[in-house]
Amino acid sequence: MRWFTCTPVAFGGGPDFFARDSGLLCRGFQELGIESRAVMPGDPTPDDESDLIRTPYPNLESPEWWKSHDLDGVVLYAWGSPGFRRVAAAIHHAGIRLVLNQDNGGLVSPLAGFLPWLEEQWILSGSGRGVPALLRFAGLTLRGLGPGLLRTDPLRRAHLRHGDVIACVSPKAAACYRRLCRFYGGRGMAERVKVIPHSVEPLFRFQNGGKSKRIVCVGRWDDFVQKRPDRLATVLGGLLEEDPSVTISIVGKPSLPLRDWHQALPAPVKQRCELHGPLDRKSLAALLHDSWVFYSPSAYESFGIAAAEALCSGCSVVAGRSVSMASFEWFVSEDSGTLADGPSTQSHLAALRSELRAWENKQRQPEQIAAVWGARLHAREVAAAVLAEFDASPGS
């Protein structure tokens, strides 16, 4: 069997690319003994891995080019974007099984659920933080209801109709897409929507040993609207002050305000809160293996790969309950976390307190968390889930 993955954007093709998304799923197919390569446009770069195919972009829109590779299937990471509909069409017209990965929470159109979609526009705009946020909200809403419905939705439909499987990364996202696809193509198109999550590297796992009362946070802390480092500082500051037994590890390049907050902590508290900066994959895996809880203060996430890596490492997850955090309702569903009941700092703090108590009362079992989520999220298992949609296997 030959299954390729493809992303129609010229990213780097080195080890980081093969640690997530289409590159990592390629490796998952390889683990199953299937011949697999990743495809991207652009010129070769010095760090490109040997199992990456670089090709001029027009080839991606050519059925003949795809036919020349004698493929059983392709998983296309193109977000259902109208701009890449000709790539999907080329693979389809080449007679190749096509899985369309949708890297989002499902609310890509008002047709996916008007009120939740409207709420997400509010969140994406910054939740009403001053006049600029209100103007962004008005702009996003008008764009979605005007050009979105008149142009974007018909072109997205043209993209999605070529997929044998429309793969959503969480059950809640899939529910939104089924509603959307009923508008686009009726029940038949809606039935092609399946839950196929993003992959996690196999190095994120739990292999016996103890864990410590540590909370890990991973993010791009210079993104103030999405990752909300201000919320992170306020919530963790309150927890550090009231619980002298908890330690905090913050991973990712810190913003200047986050550095200032950390620098201003009293010395005894500061010793229990580490700003690690970016970590390599092995160091992050070791940190998660030794920790209890992963906390995300984000306003929105399309999936949350860092949280998925934490689950496979036997951590539980805490985040806010929100239409824009669709995967996290799934992530906490196996005695594997807690969602804050409201958007406030106090609600997030209460959720963290509750989750720490669950660990102290032996209500969280890292072996069980890692086993459940590893069986769903490790790259080999996600690749197997793709094949299962076609009743295919390496030996068939």
Side-chain angles (χ1 to χ4, degrees):
M1 295 182 69
R2 286 166 61 84
W3 274 78
F4 281 10
T5 66
C6 173
T7 184
V9 178
F11 296 119
D16 286 346
F17 172 76
F18 282 92
R20 60 187 297 163
D21 299 346
S22 60
L24 182 55
L25 184 60
C26 168
R27 295 282 164 81
F29 283 125
Q30 292 170 357
E31 280 192 71
L32 293 174
I34 293 172
E35 186 177 350
S36 185
R37 301 182 74 182
V39 178
M40 270 199 295
D43 297 325
T45 64
D47 67 339
D48 281 355
E49 298 277 320
S50 61
D51 41 3
L52 174 67
I53 296 174
R54 292 278 192 181
T55 189
Y57 187 87
N59 282 343
L60 301 183
E61 297 183 349
S62 165
E64 290 72 26
W65 186 85
W66 286 105
K67 283 181 183 178
S68 71
H69 291 282
D70 190 25
L71 298 174
D72 292 282
V74 174
V75 182
L76 178 62
Y77 283 71
W79 313 281
S81 171
F84 300 124
R85 66 191 184 280
R86 293 186 181 90
V87 178
I91 299 168
H92 173 75
H93 292 312
I96 300 168
R97 297 159 172 162
L98 177 59
V99 177
L100 298 174
N101 175 275
Q102 307 301 300
D103 181 19
N104 55 65
L107 295 172
V108 294
S109 162
L111 300 177
F114 178 69
L115 290 179
W117 174 83
L118 196 65
E119 184 177 348
E120 177 153 278
Q121 307 318 297
W122 179 250
I123 292 168
L124 295 175
S125 70
S127 301
R129 295 184 179 185
V131 173
L134 292 173
L135 292 175
R136 284 194 297 271
F137 171 68
L140 289 171
T141 302
L142 292 173
R143 190 180 306 126
L145 294 175
L149 290 175
L150 295 174
R151 178 171 173 78
T152 305
D153 275 287
L155 294 178
R156 185 186 293 112
R157 175 192 176 278
H159 183 143
L160 295 179
R161 69 187 179 91
H162 295 299
D164 297 289
V165 170
I166 300 167
C168 296
V169 295
S170 71
K172 195 164 185 179
C176 292
Y177 262 82
R178 289 189 187 103
R179 188 179 301 113
L180 179 67
C181 286
R182 278 193 287 270
F183 280 102
Y184 284 172
R187 178 182 296 179
M189 190 172 185
E191 288 175 348
R192 286 186 260 154
V193 175
K194 307 293 181 181
V195 177
I196 299 178
H198 285 315
S199 302
V200 169
E201 286 181 278
L203 74 96
F204 292 94
R205 60 178 66 248
F206 184 74
Q207 298 172 318
N208 300 320
K211 280 179 169 282
S212 60
K213 190 177 180 180
R214 179 186 290 112
I215 297 169
V216 178
C217 309
V218 181
R220 305 182 310 276
W221 304 116
D222 55 352
D223 187 333
F224 291 90
V225 174
Q226 181 184 358
K227 302 299 183 179
R228 300 197 295 191
D230 52 343
R231 167 65 55 87
L232 177 81
T234 304
V235 171
L236 295 184
L239 190 66
L240 285 163
E241 184 177 343
E242 70 181 42
D243 187 344
S245 64
V246 71
T247 59
I248 309 290
S249 291
I250 301 172
V251 179
K253 184 180 179 180
S255 62
L256 184 58
L258 193 60
R259 285 184 184 276
D260 290 343
W261 165 79
H262 183 259
Q263 192 64 33
L265 289 173
V269 174
K270 190 176 179 181
Q271 291 176 357
R272 295 185 285 114
C273 182
E274 297 177 293
L275 286 184
H276 289 275
L279 291 179
D280 62 76
R281 308 296 288 165
K282 287 185 179 180
S283 298
L284 177 60
L287 183 64
L288 291 170
H289 186 276
D290 187 50
S291 302
W292 278 6
V293 177
F294 175 92
Y295 170 55
S296 171
S298 294
Y300 54 90
E301 293 285 351
S302 60
F303 180 63
I305 287 179
E309 292 167 345
L311 289 166
C312 291
S313 304
C315 299
S316 61
V317 170
V318 172
R321 187 183 303 277
S322 166
V323 298
S324 298
M325 299 285 281
S327 294
F328 285 76
E329 289 191 21
W330 190 31
F331 288 166
V332 305
S333 66
E334 301 281 357
D335 289 327
S336 49
T338 302
L339 295 182
D341 290 331
S344 68
T345 296
Q346 287 304 314
S347 294
H348 279 237
L349 186 54
L352 279 171
R353 290 192 199 105
S354 175
E355 193 58 31
L356 292 175
R357 282 196 302 272
W359 279 92
E360 290 165 347
N361 295 332
K362 310 298 182 185
Q363 295 171 327
R364 298 291 181 257
Q365 303 300 325
E367 298 88 353
Q368 178 182 336
I369 294 171
V372 167
W373 290 103
R376 291 174 178 170
L377 301 178
H378 279 146
R380 177 190 178 101
E381 310 305 329
V382 176
V386 171
L387 297 181
E389 292 298 334
F390 300 96
D391 294 324
S393 67
S396 65

